[in-house]
Each structure stands twice: as structure tokens, then as C-alpha cells.
């Protein structure tokens, strides 16, 4: 059974995980941040669209913007 990682190994692993997550997030067509109390989702919208042109559906399990 392997022992616990050393602090330097843990730091390297954490840095790799943060870099991988940042890369994955950059590929998404939206941005989101989350805290224990709040969730912020930012979706880019073309400048020629108005509120009535956008369809937003939010349920307990999904968020759809179209």
C-alpha cells in the first residue's frame, strides 16, 4: 500500500489538476463560477438579440439557454 504523497508531489498534482480544469473550462461556450451560496453562469449573446429572442429554461437538474 503506497504512502501519502509528499507535499511537493501533492502540490504538483494539484497544479496539474487546476491547469487541466482551466483548459477544459476555456473550451466551453459559457463561463460559470460557484460558491457555497451562489452559482453564476455567463452566456455570450449576440448584440442583435433582445430578451424576447432568448429562451431560458431552468429546472432542478438542468439549465437550457437557446
Amino acid at each position: 500500500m503506497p504512502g501519502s504523497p509528499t507535499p511537493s508531489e501533492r502540490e504538483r498534482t494539484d497544479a496539474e489538476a487546476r491547469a487541466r480544469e482551466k483548459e477544459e473550462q476555456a473550451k466551453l461556450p459559457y463561463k460559470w463560477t460557484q460558491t457555497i451560496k451562489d452559482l453564476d453562469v455567463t452566456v455570450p449573446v449576440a448584440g442583435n438579440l433582445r430578451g424576447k429572442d432568448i429562451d431560458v429554461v431552468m429546472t432542478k437538474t438542468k439549465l437550457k439557454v437557446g
Side-chain angles (χ1 to χ4, degrees), residues 39 55-65:
L39 171 67
D55 181 36
V56 177
V57 178
M58 187 171 15
T59 69
K60 286 184 175 186
T61 58
K62 68 180 179 178
L63 172 64
K64 177 184 171 190
V65 179

Side-chain angles (χ1 to χ4, degrees), residues 15-66:
E16 290 171 355
R18 283 190 302 271
R20 186 172 47 253
E21 181 178 355
K22 187 174 182 178
E23 181 182 333
E24 291 170 357
Q25 292 294 321
K27 293 177 183 178
L28 297 173
Y30 57 87
K31 301 292 179 207
W32 70 277
T33 58
Q34 182 177 350
T35 67
I36 195 76
K37 292 183 178 182
D38 298 310
L39 171 67
D40 294 318
V41 179
T42 304
V43 180
V45 177
N48 63 335
L49 295 178
R50 298 174 61 179
K52 66 181 183 178
D53 299 326
I54 301 170
D55 181 36
V56 177
V57 178
M58 187 171 15
T59 69
K60 286 184 175 186
T61 58
K62 68 180 179 178
L63 172 64
K64 177 184 171 190
V65 179

